[in-house]
Amino acid sequence: MAAPSCPALLATCLALLLATAQGDGCSSFGNVFTEIAENSAHGSLVARLPAGGDTPGAPLQLCLIGHDAAWFYLDGRSLRLNVSNGRALDREELESPVLMVALTCAEDGFSPVEYRIIVQVLNENDNRPHFQGTSDLTHNVSELAAVHSVVFSAQAEDADGDTLMYVIDTASPDARFFRIDLPNSGKVVLARALDFESRQQLEVVVTAVEMNTRERFNASARVRVQVLDGDDQYPQFLPCAPRTHRGLTLCTSPVYTANVTEGQLQRGPLSFSPGDVYAEDGDRGLRAAITYSLLAGQESSRFHIDNMTGAITLLRAVESSRRTPAISLSIMASQVNDVTKFAVAQAVVRVLAPNRHPPRFPRASFRAFVPAGAREAALLLTYGGRVLALRARDPDFPQGVNPQVRYSLSSSTNHSHSQQQDQHREQGQDHSQLFQVMPNGLVVARADLLQPAQHYRLQVLARDEESGETSSTTVELEVLWPGQAAPRDPSDAGAAPLHGGALGGALSALLLVAAAVLFLLLRAMKRRQRQHGAAERAALAIEKHPNVSLRWFQPVPAGKSSPTPPSLYYPNEGFSEEGSDPPPPPQPPPPPPPAPQPPPAPKPQANSVGHPVGSPPPEGSPPPPPPSAPRAPSPGEASGEAPDTPPLGGARGPLPALEEVSEESLEEGGGTDPPDPPGVPPPLLQLLEDSIEC
């Protein structure tokens, strides 16, 4: 109900004045203007009417009439508020904050007089502000929205009509993305750019606070901002490797690899690693269509790419893997709706020689042992405590070593035959936590998680990464007690164990025997060399001077023939002087040359074998001739030259001792013999002395 206008109130007041003038009792009353606070209690005093005016025997009759009369009642000359528990005076629920009541005063003999009571209901801050709808609001904002632009508006209401101010709660998770420039407007402005690829949903809290009240009531709303995807990303080849640079996450394209065999044309698309050639729009919310193409290259004409799926097919076989070991391709993926948004990835096609043999393990199964203990890692052992090494051989490679073979455990057949393995499964432990195959074929076990007497069957796979061929072998594993040694190979059970002491003694005896044999062999060889050298020197002595006999190293007459080679022997203390025959020489010397002319007789001295001149010669030797006076040197001898005609016959004096038989005397006796050429053996005297020393 609308508040009465001023002309209407003025007319009402004039009517009351006219009515008052008609009687003296009611003339003391008048129009009442008052106010009362909302939510006042029942019986609250609204206004007091004038006292008096009643005549004896004729009291005044007062009555409240009107649309709002139900809010009041008369208590004598007091106007009070009439409310109940279910009906409170709430200014916000009233049609008008002004209540109007007509007070009728009747007096005997006079016409009733009507007065106006106007009550204004005062407002109290009994209502808090609240946002329209619910306290959880949702707004959609595109990631392409400009920074410093209004992205949404948050509006709250206050039933009391108080002025509200809006602020953003800085404790909210994403308050840094928004701000409010005009606090009274409730318009939220974007503070920084959005990115759908990093954040698809933001959350911020907006609070509305009363500005003109003492209580400062407020209300908050949680606003969820859904970030909408915009076409701002380029295509990406998958699987991509994310890289972070200055707070931005970038997706780097992978390098696709495939293998082809030389001289063979593969049917169907090539199989690439780490996956098929595939790209998608970087705007995941849009998913624009992608088209593929091959950039021009040296060998790109050998291949064809499907522009819709990205499948690459080989059109012409590669003739030689040596001339063309690998082919590099450049693949471009672009958006159909915007060709300026594209990405490029590299693909490498390796050309391999024909693969004729897959990798193979030497045995289908192995026995292994591992002692339980506190160590976290322990190598699996085989018989005799040797380390178990699983190596798959590939005959396509030298020495059977394929560097592209990778070892792994198969989870399908790896299980235990003991109850402890069931406990491991209940505890969430699988084979990957207990065993691991190293790249070199060694198997490592978690000894601290194993229990003695457990048995495991492990299936080890060997896969050729280039050809994709695989082979498998089984390892029967037994868990030993701590400190227990691995058993011996059953095939060696019949052989007696060879202890270290016995082995050392046998080796020492063998070395002693070998040393003795070597010593005897060297001694025999040395003796043979000495005998051979002595024979050669004897033959040389005979060749030089046939009158020298080596039997007793005594000079013999020149007319006596030289001894034959079988009669030559060397002095040896092992032979006696009586009845001892000289040993035969190791090999006969060459036949002696014709006897030269006898040399001139030198001065007699003691011989070199220890028999002085005048002592009896040994048995069987001819007696020495009597000494003679020394011969005077000839003019040629005095000058160092040999005489022209040495004596050839006549009386011979005693032969010179061996010490005086020099090389010059032999040359003198040689007569016309030519001088010795270079490289001849040493003088006869030196040879005889060497023989005696030997």
PDB file of all heavy atoms in Angstrom, residues 203 667 672:
ATOM      1  N   GLU A 203      38.845 -21.059  -8.829  1.00  0.00           N
ATOM      2  CA  GLU A 203      37.910 -20.840  -7.722  1.00  0.00           C
ATOM      3  C   GLU A 203      38.312 -19.575  -6.981  1.00  0.00           C
ATOM      4  O   GLU A 203      39.485 -19.383  -6.630  1.00  0.00           O
ATOM      5  CB  GLU A 203      37.928 -22.039  -6.782  1.00  0.00           C
ATOM      6  CG  GLU A 203      36.873 -21.955  -5.689  1.00  0.00           C
ATOM      7  CD  GLU A 203      36.826 -23.219  -4.848  1.00  0.00           C
ATOM      8  OE1 GLU A 203      36.587 -24.306  -5.431  1.00  0.00           O
ATOM      9  OE2 GLU A 203      37.029 -23.113  -3.627  1.00  0.00           O
ATOM     10  N   GLU A 667     153.979 -71.433 -39.367  1.00  0.00           N
ATOM     11  CA  GLU A 667     154.050 -70.838 -40.689  1.00  0.00           C
ATOM     12  C   GLU A 667     155.416 -71.081 -41.326  1.00  0.00           C
ATOM     13  O   GLU A 667     155.536 -71.301 -42.524  1.00  0.00           O
ATOM     14  CB  GLU A 667     153.750 -69.350 -40.609  1.00  0.00           C
ATOM     15  CG  GLU A 667     152.296 -69.058 -40.243  1.00  0.00           C
ATOM     16  CD  GLU A 667     152.068 -67.583 -40.116  1.00  0.00           C
ATOM     17  OE1 GLU A 667     153.044 -66.820 -40.242  1.00  0.00           O
ATOM     18  OE2 GLU A 667     150.911 -67.183 -39.881  1.00  0.00           O
ATOM     19  N   THR A 672     155.802 -73.123 -48.276  1.00  0.00           N
ATOM     20  CA  THR A 672     155.104 -72.351 -49.305  1.00  0.00           C
ATOM     21  C   THR A 672     153.608 -72.295 -49.095  1.00  0.00           C
ATOM     22  O   THR A 672     152.883 -71.852 -49.968  1.00  0.00           O
ATOM     23  CB  THR A 672     155.370 -72.974 -50.677  1.00  0.00           C
ATOM     24  OG1 THR A 672     154.904 -74.324 -50.639  1.00  0.00           O
ATOM     25  CG2 THR A 672     156.866 -72.978 -50.979  1.00  0.00           C
TER      26      THR A 672
END
